[in-house]
Amino acid sequence: MKLTTKGRYGLTAMFDLAVNYGKGPIPLKSIADRQNISEHYLEQLIMILRKAGLVKSIRGAQGGYMLAKKPSEITVGDVLRALEGPIGLVDCVLEQDPVECDKAETCIMRLVWEKIRDSIIQAVDSITLQDMCDEAEKRKTSSESYMYYI
């Protein structure tokens, strides 16, 4: 399984917002510059995350974006589902609206795909943006900024 840039860059942007949580709205340009992501592409991702209720926008000269919830209340799974869709390696075991096939009842591979899907779901739903911030803080040296590539 491989994430698209939507998932990777979107999670990176959400991490940046989490690191800056409580500092007021963050301009998109600041996130784009810090994380080396195209501002135009980031705009598209932020709109998806806003519609999903994960970020909110503040208009005006001092405007920008901020998390809609505390970093401890947003999981990696929340972000990935908003940007990538339901989790699953193959269509027949998607966590939402799986595609039924003729062999569903007898397919041994389905068991494998379900176990992998369930493991992925457990992992991504157990990590919050706050967990990521805490880990980044542990790894940070005095000369580093919070520029991370996911």
Side-chain angles (χ1 to χ4, degrees):
M1 182 175 155
K2 192 172 182 178
L3 290 176
T4 67
T5 55
K6 280 170 66 172
R8 290 184 296 124
Y9 291 176
L11 186 56
T12 300
M14 291 293 284
F15 170 71
D16 194 292
L17 289 173
V19 166
N20 291 291
Y21 185 75
K23 297 178 183 176
I26 308 298
L28 214 52
K29 181 165 178 29
S30 298
I31 299 169
D33 290 346
R34 268 193 303 274
Q35 302 303 334
N36 197 26
I37 300 172
S38 156
E39 187 175 357
H40 177 70
Y41 190 48
L42 196 51
E43 284 173 2
Q44 296 171 38
L45 301 179
I46 289 290
M47 289 304 113
I48 296 169
L49 294 165
R50 190 173 61 78
K51 286 180 184 173
L54 298 175
V55 297
K56 58 184 177 180
S57 60
I58 309 296
R59 293 182 175 204
Q62 302 300 314
Y65 292 89
M66 40 199 309
L67 297 178
K69 305 174 193 175
K70 296 176 187 174
S72 61
E73 297 172 353
I74 300 173
T75 67
V76 170
D78 295 332
V79 176
L80 295 180
R81 283 182 189 93
L83 294 165
E84 301 278 3
I87 295 172
L89 291 177
V90 292
D91 290 342
C92 67
V93 297
L94 289 174
E95 65 182 330
Q96 293 177 339
D97 303 322
V99 176
E100 289 296 322
C101 79
D102 300 351
K103 300 174 187 173
E105 295 299 317
T106 59
C107 180
I108 293 301
M109 294 310 298
R110 184 181 175 103
L111 174 68
V112 174
W113 306 143
E114 286 173 341
K115 285 187 176 200
I116 294 170
R117 176 207 58 208
D118 293 346
S119 295
I120 293 169
I121 289 170
Q122 190 281 324
V124 298
D125 287 345
S126 70
I127 304 167
T128 66
L129 295 179
Q130 186 61 57
D131 294 331
M132 293 173 66
C133 290
D134 294 345
E135 185 62 31
E137 190 60 36
K138 282 189 228 175
R139 295 176 183 213
K140 184 180 174 190
T141 65
S142 59
S143 63
E144 286 182 302
S145 67
Y146 285 106
M147 184 171 156
Y148 295 94
Y149 298 100
I150 296 176

